[in-house]
Amino acid sequence: RKEVEQDPGPFNVPEGATVAFNCTYSNSASQSFFWYRQDCRKEPKLLMSVYSSGNEDGRFTAQLNRASQYISLLIRDSKLSDSATYLCVVNGGEGGGADGLTFGKGTHLIIQP
Amino acid sequence: DVKVTQSSRYLVKRTGEKVFLECVQDMDHENMFWYRQDPGLGLRLIYFSYDVKMKEKGDIPEGYSVSREKKERFSLILESASTNQTSMYLCASSLDWTSGRAGKNIQYFGAGTRLSVL
């Protein structure tokens, strides 16, 4: 069974701080990686894809470390509106379908004023 | 924008009832999925479908069935609802599950149906 592991938190962080969290995955053949954001009692929404070279979108930076099999999400200058649960999603390398869809249980982030 | 619509936001049903949860997507996506989400357990895949009339079991298919008669619609059926099926149900769709095609396997979710079985 392929696993995706995340620290559930909560991470309590003061507004304006930088916060980072990781996600480890067990399937070394995984090819696609994503971070989703889920607000309380809402559906998950794609935050960003994670590319091999790392990628940045405004205050958010995602990194992939294939050797150690983890991805990371860095949030700079955190805002109150960043409070949410962040889900790590890894698609497998064996053709997709049920085998290729693995969601982490999420990391809960609370930004405090 | 991709739109995935679930027919109900909240449902209350009685034990033993047959329950239908409907999901419609408007982006001509090949793949559709049904998940349930429970506190501490995360998202768990119930069933998915990669084509009309095709379905595959996910991690927790017991007590559920699905129907995909049209490409845009994927229905989840609880044959005889039980209290342990009280949960948030999320439908998702993606263009393509082939992981090598960048961006094609991104899943888009509906707003969810919060089902209570009494």
Side-chain angles (χ1 to χ4, degrees):
Chain A
R1 181 75 177 95
K2 304 173 189 64
E3 299 292 338
V4 175
E5 300 288 342
Q6 294 183 254
D7 183 339
F11 283 46
N12 289 283
V13 174
E15 191 177 7
T18 296
V19 59
F21 28 84
N22 291 342
C23 160
T24 60
Y25 61 94
S26 63
N27 182 8
S28 60
S30 294
Q31 297 180 25
S32 302
F33 308 89
F34 309 99
W35 284 103
Y36 276 68
R37 171 195 169 122
Q38 186 172 23
D39 293 298
C40 186
R41 303 179 78 84
K42 301 279 190 178
E43 74 273 22
K45 293 184 179 179
L46 179 69
L47 177 65
M48 57 198 303
S49 301
V50 186
Y51 302 121
S52 296
S53 56
N55 49 298
E56 189 173 309
D57 183 3
R59 298 181 293 108
F60 298 83
T61 300
Q63 296 278 353
L64 167 63
N65 185 317
R66 284 193 184 273
S68 300
Q69 293 184 208
Y70 73 86
I71 64 173
S72 63
L73 180 67
L74 178 81
I75 306 174
R76 288 182 299 278
D77 187 24
S78 53
K79 313 288 185 192
L80 294 176
S81 58
D82 293 334
S83 297
T85 297
Y86 292 84
L87 304 175
C88 173
V89 184
V90 176
N91 280 41
E94 297 175 7
D99 286 342
L101 308 167
T102 307
F103 283 76
K105 293 179 182 178
T107 296
H108 189 37
L109 175 64
I110 301 170
I111 306 299
Q112 296 176 327
Chain B
D1 277 353
V2 176
K3 191 163 180 64
V4 180
T5 303
Q6 294 184 230
S7 53
S8 305
R9 291 298 305 273
Y10 301 94
L11 273 180
V12 179
K13 297 292 182 181
R14 295 199 178 276
T15 302
E17 279 192 80
K18 190 169 186 176
V19 182
F20 293 86
L21 303 182
E22 305 286 345
C23 176
V24 177
Q25 50 93 4
D26 67 355
M27 284 302 291
D28 201 35
H29 281 177
E30 298 292 329
N31 308 302
M32 297 188 74
F33 309 87
W34 274 106
Y35 295 88
R36 63 178 283 177
Q37 187 174 33
D38 302 285
L41 297 178
L43 278 160
R44 293 182 290 168
L45 182 65
I46 304 172
Y47 268 97
F48 73 101
S49 168
Y50 53 88
D51 201 353
V52 175
K53 296 191 185 295
M54 306 302 288
K55 61 185 179 184
E56 293 283 346
K57 292 180 179 179
D59 298 319
I60 51 164
E62 296 78 20
Y64 303 94
S65 61
V66 290
S67 172
R68 194 160 179 207
E69 295 297 318
K70 294 184 178 182
K71 191 175 186 179
E72 68 271 18
R73 186 180 298 271
F74 192 36
S75 303
L76 179 69
I77 303 151
L78 286 65
E79 297 291 342
S80 177
S82 62
T83 54
N84 64 12
Q85 292 179 309
T86 291
S87 186
M88 167 72 105
Y89 289 87
L90 289 157
C91 174
S93 72
S94 69
L95 181 62
D96 185 322
W97 49 257
T98 306
S99 54
R101 297 171 65 184
K104 304 292 186 183
N105 54 7
I106 293 171
Q107 291 188 35
Y108 300 88
F109 285 84
T113 297
R114 194 166 291 277
L115 173 66
S116 296
V117 182
L118 306 179

